[in-house]
Amino acid sequence: MLRGVCLFKAVYSNASKMKYVAQAIAKIIDEAPFYATPDALEVKVLSPDKTMLTIVKIPSIAFDEYDVDGEEFFVVSSMDFNRIIRRCTMNDVMEMELDKERSVLKIVFRDKKTGIERAFLLETKPRPPEQIPEINIELGVTVKMASDDYRELLGDLKTVGETAVFMVQDGKLVVRTGEQQKEYEGVFSEGNPLIYLSSTAPRVQAKYSIDQLQATLKPISAAKQVTLYFDSDKPLKIEYEIAGGGTIVYWLTPRAD
């Protein structure tokens, strides 16, 4: 290997879980920037209108094999990456290896039972790393709920409106939307059905786009629960812990209307 050229290779036995990662990225943007460091493989995607940030992070210890010399950055088509990852099965181990000389990402699926391998080459795109700053905002409300309950909530919201109002009052989470003589209100409390609810203030209120909330459903089958963090007129943070290791985090800007 030439001096200064970094090597990246990762083997992931939970290949089918990567489907949810690929779907989450493809839903937001056309190109997926991957950052490989000794600690983790990370993707940070900012929507074109800069109102939604998606962060996928898989720690190096979640991989069966993980090797990167220093730090590595590469960009691939999120649609093509999604199409390839969709070809993996429950029995597959996934291997990713970056070939800088050929400007390709090699993705191999190896069947755990038969040992049969299928290899795909995905072109990497020449692009300098985009610096997306870390978001350091204190959010007073924390809500944990089962993934199925979160899916049901967003299904109800989508049926009625375009903007959802999230409130905490009287120790309960209240979510509302409405337009043109249609209204929806959901009242949730700890244990019915929330797993956990806490707030640093007696009353909190913020509005978010229902379409953006819908976009956060892609990885829901990869996690048993969802954690929401919000505060009055502040961004909403939505976090999934992926089975097998890793997190998918969404940040949504609040709506002013």
Side-chain angles (χ1 to χ4, degrees):
M1 185 174 68
L2 297 176
R3 181 177 296 276
V5 178
C6 293
L7 169 71
F8 168 71
K9 180 180 179 180
V11 179
Y12 194 56
S13 60
N14 294 292
S16 60
K17 301 298 182 185
M18 191 64 72
K19 289 183 179 181
Y20 307 111
V21 172
Q23 290 172 4
I25 298 168
K27 183 71 175 179
I28 305 302
I29 204 163
D30 295 334
E31 294 183 350
F34 285 82
Y35 300 82
T37 70
D39 295 328
L41 178 64
E42 187 175 49
V43 181
K44 288 185 178 181
V45 177
L46 188 62
S47 64
D49 61 3
K50 302 187 184 304
T51 61
M52 185 174 187
L53 174 64
T54 304
I55 304 172
V56 179
K57 190 171 186 177
I58 305 177
S60 57
I61 58 173
F63 293 90
D64 299 86
E65 180 183 342
Y66 187 88
D67 183 18
V68 61
D69 187 4
E71 297 184 358
E72 195 58 74
F73 171 78
F74 56 95
V75 179
V76 297
S77 162
S78 57
M79 183 177 296
D80 290 339
F81 182 72
N82 186 33
R83 285 171 176 166
I84 292 173
I85 300 303
R86 283 165 56 184
R87 301 303 303 161
C88 73
T89 70
M90 293 290 291
N91 294 327
D92 283 334
V93 172
M94 184 181 73
E95 179 179 309
M96 293 189 293
E97 186 169 2
L98 182 64
D99 187 334
K100 291 182 70 82
E101 291 185 358
R102 297 167 61 192
S103 298
V104 296
L105 177 68
K106 183 179 180 181
I107 301 174
V108 178
F109 299 129
R110 184 174 63 256
D111 191 290
K112 299 174 186 176
K113 296 180 179 179
T114 66
I116 294 175
E117 293 187 352
R118 294 171 293 142
F120 300 84
L121 295 180
L122 182 58
E123 179 188 11
T124 59
K125 300 178 180 297
R127 200 180 88 185
E130 180 182 3
Q131 297 300 321
I132 299 177
E134 296 292 332
I135 299 178
N136 295 310
I137 299 176
E138 291 188 6
L139 301 173
V141 178
T142 302
V143 178
K144 292 182 184 289
M145 67 175 71
S147 296
D148 288 343
D149 291 329
Y150 182 62
R151 191 201 311 268
E152 189 72 18
L153 168 61
L154 296 197
D156 290 340
L157 291 171
K158 185 179 180 181
T159 302
V160 176
E162 296 181 356
T163 302
V165 180
F166 282 70
M167 295 182 291
V168 169
Q169 56 185 28
D170 301 324
K172 297 180 180 181
L173 171 68
V174 180
V175 185
R176 294 175 180 162
T177 187
E179 59 178 38
Q180 297 180 348
Q181 299 181 335
K182 295 186 296 182
E183 291 186 3
Y184 164 83
E185 179 179 271
V187 181
F188 312 93
S189 58
E190 190 170 286
N192 187 30
L194 303 180
I195 299 170
Y196 177 79
L197 172 63
S198 72
S199 178
T200 58
R203 183 177 176 86
V204 175
Q205 179 172 314
K207 299 179 182 179
Y208 305 100
S209 162
I210 293 175
D211 282 344
Q212 288 187 339
L213 287 166
Q214 285 289 314
T216 70
L217 283 175
K218 284 297 180 183
I220 201 164
S221 297
K224 294 182 179 180
Q225 68 181 40
V226 184
T227 305
L228 311 180
Y229 307 88
F230 69 97
D231 214 327
S232 292
D233 302 320
K234 291 184 179 181
L236 170 64
K237 179 183 178 182
I238 302 167
E239 183 174 16
Y240 294 93
E241 291 189 9
I242 307 170
T247 58
I248 299 179
V249 174
Y250 295 93
W251 286 91
L252 311 184
T253 58
R255 294 287 295 268
D257 54 341

